[in-house]
Amino acid sequence: MAAQTRGVALRLCTLVFLLGVALCKGFVEDLDESFKDSRKDDIWLVDFYAPWCGHCKKLEPVWNEVGVEMKSMGSPVKVGKMDATSYSSIASEFGVRGYPTIKLLKGDLAYNYRGPRTKDDIIEFAHRVSGALIRPLPSQQMFEHVQKRHRVFFVYIGGESPLKEKYIDAASELIVYTYFFSASEDVVPEYVTLREMPAVLVFKDGTHFVYDEYEDGDLSSWISRERFQNYLTVDGFLLYELGDTGKLVAIAVIDEKNTSVEHTRLKSVIQEVARDYRGQFHRDFQFGHMDGNEYINSLLMDEVKVPTVVVLNTSNQQYFLLDRQIENTEDMVHFFRSVLDGTVQAQGGDSILQRLKRMVFDAKSTIVSIFRSSPIMGCFLFGLPLGVISIMCYGIYTADTDGGYIEERYEVSKSELEGGEAAEESREQPEPRGALLPGPAGQGPKDVLEKKTD
């Protein structure tokens, strides 16, 4: 009886699970060639995938959750997916180059998603891009609400101007990363003082920075540099994104599970520098910490001791390592100043030698990872070709040896033959009288020659 009850319960759980999966998939539409003509009537969030792609399969349950969430919140954005291998012409039209590729399609515009593949981040992207390009802030209450909700956002203050046109152009390009607002001068907090109008400001880390065309250069470049918080928890994906800022990335490489004084102190020191020396370093440095040295080791092609501080120049792949003992904030500040003035020697780079070293390192890492994950497969992939090559080399070597032996035998036989001909010529000379030859007359010399030849 108990076994039957468990069996019924198991079947019910399976049924509920399958029903849940079916409902989730129901909120994500499978798109075909008709999508090309019908899409302009709506805003679409589309996953272009390949059936054989492992990353696509990993994204699928997250994508189903995105479909359910967008539907439940009443979003105007429709969620779909398209097999880019079956409809390759449509995928290439939208500039799909890899799998999976996430795009938000809004009218004639297509926005690429480049953030983490989590439900919340994808939904945030869809909400940001599907709305107005520049959102108005009509009141101080609205400004405070936005400030609590967003860690980083940009605000244009003023009326119509050439700066506003540049701001709109920058927003159309960078809306995929951050929010853009506009407001009048009386809406911003009282602590914000502006020397001239119009102005563009970034609010982050509990403070703000004002764009200065003479010091900061192009507006789009400045926004791209300032779209991150000053201090971040860095991983491989975020480090790749930070490459667009053009800043040096100062990372405390620590073990977060290690609660020793050295690990916690180094992290707190670099946080203090990021906070207290923001005005001095924010144009040149992006600060953060990374848990573990595995990714840094692969990036630097060297073993980095933990804890330590590494400064990366993502534009030319150079890096700087600590050249002194860090006891306090002043020591860390002195190190960063030394990096800026060139006192600390740069390592790495993108020279031909470094590229060759990178190729060898990547090949070695790939082989080691294959053997660690699957020794049998590693032996098959690398042992079989080596075995075939060894057999071929052995065959070539033995063939050469046999050929030399035959040639040697040929030379010996030729010398013997010449010796035999000389003996024959000597026997053709007249024999001395009185010499007796065995056997019948006329047969002696011939018999001797035959024996010699044999």
Side-chain angles (χ1 to χ4, degrees), residues 358-408:
R358 168 61 61 185
M359 291 174 61
V360 173
F361 179 83
D362 290 342
K364 180 182 176 182
S365 301
T366 302
I367 293 172
V368 171
S369 63
I370 290 175
F371 273 98
R372 282 180 179 175
S373 60
S374 179
I376 296 175
M377 181 176 290
C379 292
F380 177 78
L381 290 176
F382 298 101
L384 183 60
L386 288 174
V388 172
I389 294 172
S390 300
I391 293 172
M392 292 174 63
C393 292
Y394 177 77
I396 293 170
Y397 173 77
T398 54
D400 288 342
T401 305
D402 291 344
Y405 177 67
I406 292 170
E407 185 177 355
E408 185 180 355

Side-chain angles (χ1 to χ4, degrees), residues 20-32 35 44-49 56 59-72 77-83 102 119 122-123:
V21 172
L23 287 173
C24 287
K25 290 184 177 180
F27 295 113
V28 177
E29 296 189 33
D30 282 305
L31 305 175
D32 54 24
F35 173 71
W44 282 91
L45 183 66
V46 182
D47 168 29
F48 293 90
Y49 70 95
C56 300
L59 177 64
E60 185 176 6
V62 176
W63 198 249
N64 291 331
E65 291 177 7
V66 169
V68 173
E69 188 79 14
M70 298 290 281
K71 189 71 174 180
S72 64
V77 179
K78 292 186 175 182
V79 181
K81 60 180 181 178
M82 175 177 285
D83 183 351
I102 298 173
K119 182 192 73 172
I122 294 172
I123 290 174

Side-chain angles (χ1 to χ4, degrees), residues 321-392:
L321 298 176
L322 276 177
D323 62 344
R324 68 204 71 201
Q325 185 70 27
I326 300 297
E327 298 292 343
N328 48 44
T329 305
E330 286 72 23
D331 291 337
M332 188 74 78
V333 170
H334 184 59
F335 170 65
F336 290 144
R337 286 173 178 166
S338 300
V339 170
L340 291 178
D341 63 27
T343 307
V344 180
Q345 183 179 1
Q347 303 182 46
D350 55 359
S351 64
I352 296 177
L353 183 61
Q354 284 295 121
R355 293 176 186 177
L356 292 174
K357 184 179 177 182
R358 168 61 61 185
M359 291 174 61
V360 173
F361 179 83
D362 290 342
K364 180 182 176 182
S365 301
T366 302
I367 293 172
V368 171
S369 63
I370 290 175
F371 273 98
R372 282 180 179 175
S373 60
S374 179
I376 296 175
M377 181 176 290
C379 292
F380 177 78
L381 290 176
F382 298 101
L384 183 60
L386 288 174
V388 172
I389 294 172
S390 300
I391 293 172
M392 292 174 63

Side-chain angles (χ1 to χ4, degrees), residues 32-298:
D32 54 24
E33 64 274 357
S34 62
F35 173 71
K36 181 180 177 181
D37 299 323
S38 63
R39 72 171 185 85
K40 292 187 178 180
D41 298 330
D42 299 292
I43 301 174
W44 282 91
L45 183 66
V46 182
D47 168 29
F48 293 90
Y49 70 95
W52 44 262
C53 171
H55 294 291
C56 300
K57 293 176 182 177
K58 187 177 180 180
L59 177 64
E60 185 176 6
V62 176
W63 198 249
N64 291 331
E65 291 177 7
V66 169
V68 173
E69 188 79 14
M70 298 290 281
K71 189 71 174 180
S72 64
M73 68 173 56
S75 172
V77 179
K78 292 186 175 182
V79 181
K81 60 180 181 178
M82 175 177 285
D83 183 351
T85 59
S86 298
Y87 305 103
S88 57
S89 60
I90 299 177
S92 61
E93 235 180 89
F94 289 118
V96 175
R97 298 289 182 269
Y99 311 114
T101 293
I102 298 173
K103 288 180 177 284
L104 188 133
L105 308 176
K106 181 181 177 183
D108 294 326
L109 301 175
Y111 297 93
N112 287 331
Y113 176 70
R114 294 175 56 185
R117 290 166 186 164
T118 64
K119 182 192 73 172
D120 293 338
D121 288 304
I122 294 172
I123 290 174
E124 175 72 11
F125 164 79
H127 175 71
R128 181 172 63 249
V129 178
S130 63
L133 185 65
I134 298 174
R135 308 179 186 211
L137 295 175
S139 64
Q140 289 185 353
Q141 291 80 6
M142 182 62 70
F143 184 93
E144 291 172 1
H145 172 74
V146 168
Q147 198 167 23
K148 291 177 181 177
R149 184 175 179 183
H150 304 300
R151 297 174 180 174
V152 180
F153 63 96
F154 294 83
V155 181
Y156 172 83
I157 301 173
E160 298 297 325
S161 68
L163 181 61
K164 185 174 183 179
E165 294 178 3
K166 294 179 181 179
Y167 184 71
I168 293 172
D169 291 339
S172 62
E173 176 188 355
L174 301 171
I175 187 66
V176 294
Y177 300 118
T178 188
Y179 284 90
F180 294 88
F181 297 91
S182 63
S184 58
E185 189 176 6
D186 58 346
V187 169
V188 297
E190 295 180 358
Y191 61 80
V192 177
T193 56
L194 299 174
R195 290 179 296 180
E196 58 182 18
M197 296 277 290
V200 177
L201 294 81
V202 58
F203 289 85
K204 63 178 182 178
D205 303 319
T207 186
H208 69 282
F209 300 99
V210 181
Y211 167 68
D212 187 324
E213 184 176 3
Y214 296 102
E215 291 189 8
D216 299 317
D218 178 65
L219 178 60
S220 293
S221 301
W222 177 77
I223 292 173
S224 183
R225 289 197 302 271
E226 298 297 333
R227 63 186 175 92
F228 295 100
Q229 291 178 277
N230 201 33
Y231 187 90
L232 297 165
T233 301
V234 182
D235 57 15
F237 178 82
L238 183 56
L239 188 58
Y240 174 80
E241 289 293 303
L242 290 174
D244 294 338
T245 65
K247 294 183 179 182
L248 298 171
V249 184
I251 304 174
V253 184
I254 62 171
D255 182 1
E256 290 192 329
K257 296 179 182 178
N258 192 326
T259 57
S260 65
V261 176
E262 185 63 21
H263 284 259
T264 55
R265 184 179 63 83
L266 195 60
K267 179 181 176 181
S268 63
V269 167
I270 199 169
Q271 283 177 323
E272 288 177 15
V273 173
R275 182 186 67 246
D276 299 338
Y277 293 83
R278 180 186 290 110
Q280 185 177 151
F281 288 133
H282 86 273
R283 281 189 171 90
D284 299 302
F285 283 98
Q286 174 68 53
F287 299 97
H289 73 271
M290 177 176 284
D291 182 20
N293 63 349
E294 184 176 351
Y295 185 83
I296 291 293
N297 288 344
S298 64

